[in-house]
């Protein structure tokens, strides 16, 4: 779901290794039965139409809290910045694989099902526009191809939402929490059979127009490029 601006912005999440104190949950009364609660109409979330929430939005305050908690959880027992980014990437990967069929279904009509983007350029356009609009309510800022390697492509976001509520200390300045979004992109690529490795890199200049700019580097495997040339 896309995110909407909150009425008031809360404080940023500070990356730290200090574990959070768990909150005590209220005890259930004896008359409550354990297990999944079922509504009185006997319908669950699995009975809901997939198009019902296509225009729904999640407040940025809720997103900032949930993502900050996820970063704090991923930071536990890591050996360094690369290990933390790897864990964020792995957390985003399954989300990408689940979003792919959902977005294709929502782009389809009863008579014209949306084709799966199995070639590189249609896939990059699907990610930069369809996927980005679903996640962030706007398209990515640019798509580029590497001038030195025909395996590599870049998607740029001048102001990634996932980095706006994370405060990174100076000793971890190389950390980019958009590695989570890189994992989502990687899941989409692998979901259509275009295996690739995706990483997030800081590309902003301090004092420039976009100091938080992030470039998502997509490295397709050799077999994907060879298959592209035979089509």
């Amino acid at each position: 779901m896309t995110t909407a601006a909150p009425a008031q912005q809360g404080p940023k999440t500070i990356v730290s290794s200090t574990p959070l104190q768990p909150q005590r949950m209220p005890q259930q009364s004896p008359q409550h039965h354990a297990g999944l609660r079922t509504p009185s109409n006997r319908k669950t979330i699995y009975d809901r139409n997939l198009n019902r929430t296509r225009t729904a939005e999640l407040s940025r305050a809720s997103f900032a809290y949930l993502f900050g908690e996820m970063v704090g959880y991923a930071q536990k027992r890591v050996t360094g910045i690369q290990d933390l980014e790897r864990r964020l990437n792995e957390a985003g990967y399954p989300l990408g694989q689940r979003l792919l069929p959902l977005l294709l279904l929502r782009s389809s009509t009863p008579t014209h099902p949306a084709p799966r983007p199995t070639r590189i350029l249609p896939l990059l356009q699907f990610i930069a526009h369809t996927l980005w609009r679903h996640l962030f309510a706007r398209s990515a800022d640019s798509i580029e191809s590497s001038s030195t390697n025909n395996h590599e492509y870049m998607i740029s976001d001048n102001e990634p939402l996932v980095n706006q509520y994370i405060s990174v200390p100076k000793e971890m300045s190389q950390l980019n929490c958009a590695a989570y979004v890189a994992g989502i992109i990687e899941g989409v690529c692998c979901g259509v059979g275009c295996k690739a490795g995706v990483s997030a890199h800081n590309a902003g200049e301090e004092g420039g127009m976009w100091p938080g700019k992030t470039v998502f580097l997509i490295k397709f495997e050799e077999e994907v490029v060879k298959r592209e040339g035979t089509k």
Side-chain angles (χ1 to χ4, degrees):
M1 290 186 286
T2 57
T3 54
Q8 294 182 353
Q9 294 186 0
K12 289 186 176 182
T13 297
I14 301 177
V15 177
S16 172
S17 58
T18 304
L20 298 176
Q21 295 295 328
Q23 297 181 351
R24 298 184 61 183
M25 301 298 293
Q27 296 182 352
Q28 287 187 337
S29 56
Q31 64 269 22
H32 290 172
H33 296 283
L36 179 65
R37 296 181 59 186
T38 304
S40 57
N41 60 5
R42 312 300 299 176
K43 291 185 177 181
T44 67
I45 191 174
Y46 301 106
D47 298 302
R48 184 181 301 171
N49 190 309
L50 290 176
N51 287 324
R52 179 177 175 181
T53 57
R54 66 185 304 169
T55 58
E57 293 183 341
L58 175 70
S59 70
R60 288 196 181 187
S62 299
F63 171 79
Y65 174 77
L66 292 173
F67 187 70
E69 290 293 299
M70 189 184 69
V71 172
Y73 178 80
Q75 194 183 4
K76 297 178 181 178
R77 297 183 298 277
V78 296
T79 58
I81 294 176
Q82 291 183 347
D83 193 21
L84 175 55
E85 289 184 342
R86 177 187 59 80
R87 296 188 67 177
L88 291 173
N89 185 290
E90 291 175 350
Y93 183 89
L95 177 58
Q97 294 206 312
R98 286 165 174 78
L99 281 175
L100 173 63
L102 175 63
L103 295 178
L104 290 176
L105 175 65
R106 289 179 173 176
S107 302
S108 303
T109 64
T111 57
H112 295 86
R116 295 174 69 87
T118 56
R119 302 193 65 175
I120 291 179
L121 290 182
L123 174 59
L124 294 175
Q125 292 173 350
F126 175 83
I127 293 171
H129 299 291
T130 305
L131 177 65
W132 234 258
R133 282 197 296 264
H134 175 76
L135 293 175
F136 310 119
R138 61 177 179 83
S139 298
D141 292 294
S142 66
I143 305 174
E144 302 176 43
S145 61
S146 173
S147 58
T148 58
N149 194 329
N150 62 346
H151 297 183
E152 297 180 356
Y153 293 82
M154 293 158 283
I155 295 178
S156 300
D157 192 326
N158 292 336
E159 196 174 9
L161 177 66
V162 292
N163 289 342
Q164 292 182 22
Y165 301 97
I166 301 295
S167 180
V168 180
K170 291 183 178 180
E171 61 271 17
M172 300 178 65
S173 59
Q174 295 181 347
L175 172 66
N176 194 324
C177 292
Y180 177 70
V181 181
I184 297 176
I185 298 173
E186 188 171 333
V188 171
C189 291
C190 294
V192 296
C194 296
K195 294 183 179 180
V198 185
S199 54
H201 303 271
N202 296 316
E205 297 180 0
E206 189 173 354
M209 181 178 296
W210 305 110
K213 181 178 179 179
T214 293
V215 172
F216 298 92
L217 179 62
I218 306 174
K219 295 182 179 181
F220 290 100
E221 294 188 0
E222 181 73 24
E223 61 182 26
V224 176
V225 179
K226 288 183 178 180
R227 185 183 63 198
E228 185 82 3
T230 58
K231 289 184 178 181

